[in-house]
C-alpha cells in the first residue's frame, strides 16, 4: 500500500485523530490489543514507546529570522538560496516548488502578485496559468512583456508568497509577515523604476493597506519606487467588465515610464 501523502493531508488526518481524543503516538504500526497476550502488549508498548510525534516549531521569531536571512542575500541567487533554506513557513511543506521570479530583472517594471496557484507550483514560475496568460496579454497591449528583448520594455514578476497555499486559500497574516522581508529585499535587489501591485495581498504587503477598488489607479511611493496598485488578473477573469479600469491603469503605467527616470 502506498502511504505517501502530502503534508497538508497528513496534518488534517492528525488533527482528526486529536479531535477524537488521541493525545500520544505510541507505536509505528497498529497493535490489536484484543488479540495479543497482555504481557506482549505491555512489552511492545514499552520498548517502542516514543515521545509524541507532533514536532512543535521551536520558539523563534520567524519574522526576525526572515529579516536576517533576507538582509544577508547579496543578489537574486543568494535570495533564492535564503528562501530555500528558510524553514519557518508551513506552506513550504505542502508546495511542490519554490516560485521565485520570472522575466527580466533588468526590466524597468517589477510586478508583485499574490501567490502561486496549481500551475505555478508545478512549473516553479509565477503567473503561468490562466491569470498569467491574461497578464501577458495585458502587458503585450502596451508593448511590454517578461521575455521582451529590450530591458526598457521588459518586466520582472514575483509574488508575495513563493509557495502555494493549500487549495489556493488566502495567505494568513503571519505568512505575509514572515515573507515580506524577502519580498522587500527582492525589490531592493531588482531596483525597478516602477512597482505594480496586483490585488489586495500585494497591497497589504507593500503598502500595509487593502481595498483594491479604491487603491487601483492611484500612484503611491514605497520601497524606493513609484507604486501602482491594479486589479489582479484573476479578478479580471471573473469580472471582465473591470478590464476597462485595468486598461486605464496600463496607460497610466506607460505614461509614468515615459516620465520616470
Ligand atoms: N496569481 C498570482 O498572484 N501569482 C501567480 O503566480 C499566479 C496567480
Amino acid at each position: 500500500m502506498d502511504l505517501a501523502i502530502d503534508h497538508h493531508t497528513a496534518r488534517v488526518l492528525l488533527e482528526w485523530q486529536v479531535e477524537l481524543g488521541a493525545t500520544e503516538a505510541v507505536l509505528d504500526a497498529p497493535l490489536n490489543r484484543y488479540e495479543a497476550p497482555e504481557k506482549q502488549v505491555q512489552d511492545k508498548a514499552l520498548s517502542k514507546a516514543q515521545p509524541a510525534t507532533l514536532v512543535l516549531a521551536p520558539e523563534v521569531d520567524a519574522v526576525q529570522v526572515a529579516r536576517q536571512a533576507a538582509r544577508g542575500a547579496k543578489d537574486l541567487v543568494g535570495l533564492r538560496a535564503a528562501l530555500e533554506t528558510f524553514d519557518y513557513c508551513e506552506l513550504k511543506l505542502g508546495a511542490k516548488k519554490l516560485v521565485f521570479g520570472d522575466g527580466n530583472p533588468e526590466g524597468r517594471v517589477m510586478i508583485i502578485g499574490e501567490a502561486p496557484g496549481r500551475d505555478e507550483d508545478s512549473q516553479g514560475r509565477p503567473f503561468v496559468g490562466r491569470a498569467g496568460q491574461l497578464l501577458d496579454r495585458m502587458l503585450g497591449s502596451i508593448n511590454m512583456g517578461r521575455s521582451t528583448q529590450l530591458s526598457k520594455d521588459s518586466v520582472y514578476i514575483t509574488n508575495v508568497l513563493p509557495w502555494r497555499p493549500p487549495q489556493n486559500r488566502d495567505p494568513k497574516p503571519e505568512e505575509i509577515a514572515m515573507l515580506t522581508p524577502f519580498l522587500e529585499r527582492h525589490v531592493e535587489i531588482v531596483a525597478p523604476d516602477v512597482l505594480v501591485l496586483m490585488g489586495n495581498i500585494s497591497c497589504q504587503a507593500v503598502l500595509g493597506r487593502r481595498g483594491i477598488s479604491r487603491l487601483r489607479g492611484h500612484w503611491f511611493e514605497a520601497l524606493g519606487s513609484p507604486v501602482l496598485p491594479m486589479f489582479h488578473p484573476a479578478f479580471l477573469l471573473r469580472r471582465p467588465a473591470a478590464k476597462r479600469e485595468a486598461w486605464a491603469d496600463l496607460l497610466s503605467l506607460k505614461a509614468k515610464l515615459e516620465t520616470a527616470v
Side-chain angles (χ1 to χ4, degrees):
M1 184 172 41
D2 182 8
L3 285 178
I5 50 174
D6 65 46
H7 163 79
H8 296 294
T9 312
R11 190 185 169 112
V12 167
L13 289 172
L14 183 60
E15 281 169 359
W16 176 67
Q17 291 187 46
V18 170
E19 235 170 73
L20 291 179
T23 54
E24 209 179 347
V26 176
L27 298 172
D28 294 338
L31 170 63
N32 187 337
R33 290 167 193 274
Y34 294 105
E35 279 175 5
E38 199 176 322
K39 172 113 180 39
Q40 190 189 330
V41 170
Q42 278 173 4
D43 289 350
K44 208 164 177 189
L46 282 174
S47 68
K48 299 273 282 194
Q50 295 167 356
T53 53
L54 238 186
V55 181
L56 297 173
E59 286 304 314
V60 289
D61 180 348
V63 177
Q64 191 53 31
V65 176
R67 276 199 203 111
Q68 265 178 15
R71 223 180 284 136
K74 304 254 172 306
D75 51 22
L76 292 182
V77 174
L79 188 64
R80 187 190 179 102
L83 272 167
E84 265 158 1
T85 53
F86 181 73
D87 287 331
Y88 296 95
C89 182
E90 254 209 352
L91 296 176
K92 184 179 186 179
L93 300 171
K96 287 201 186 99
K97 288 195 174 151
L98 171 78
V99 178
F100 183 70
D102 193 30
N104 184 355
E106 304 295 321
R108 296 188 67 197
V109 176
M110 180 166 180
I111 296 175
I112 304 177
E114 177 180 328
R118 197 190 48 205
D119 297 319
E120 290 77 18
D121 183 46
S122 16
Q123 293 187 38
R125 285 175 64 210
F127 281 102
V128 290
R130 280 185 67 225
Q133 288 155 22
L134 175 59
L135 175 61
D136 285 337
R137 290 200 297 279
M138 289 163 65
L139 293 169
S141 73
I142 52 165
N143 300 318
M144 299 197 80
R146 59 178 111 185
S147 47
T148 321
Q149 292 283 320
L150 296 175
S151 48
K152 78 173 182 50
D153 299 327
S154 54
V155 303
Y156 180 75
I157 306 176
T158 190
N159 282 310
V160 175
L161 304 187
W163 296 291
R164 182 192 183 195
Q167 281 81 48
N168 297 343
R169 66 152 168 76
D170 276 352
K172 296 179 186 166
E174 61 270 27
E175 290 163 350
I176 298 178
M178 75 172 80
L179 292 164
T180 297
F182 293 102
L183 178 68
E184 290 177 352
R185 184 74 186 121
H186 212 148
V187 175
E188 203 175 8
I189 293 170
V190 172
D193 287 348
V194 168
L195 265 180
V196 174
L197 307 179
M198 292 298 183
N200 267 323
I201 302 298
S202 49
C203 288
Q204 177 71 57
V206 174
L207 301 175
R209 348 178 7 184
R210 287 178 182 242
I212 191 64
S213 299
R214 269 173 291 113
L215 296 173
R216 63 137 287 274
H218 296 282
W219 285 93
F220 298 83
E221 197 69 33
L223 307 182
S225 298
V227 176
L228 178 65
M230 286 184 62
F231 283 138
H232 193 289
F235 172 75
L236 297 175
L237 287 172
R238 294 194 300 274
R239 288 269 301 276
K243 285 183 185 169
R244 228 166 70 114
E245 281 90 353
W247 174 237
D249 298 346
L250 287 168
L251 292 178
S252 175
L253 169 64
K254 195 75 180 164
K256 186 69 151 190
L257 288 169
E258 272 153 27
T259 54
V261 276

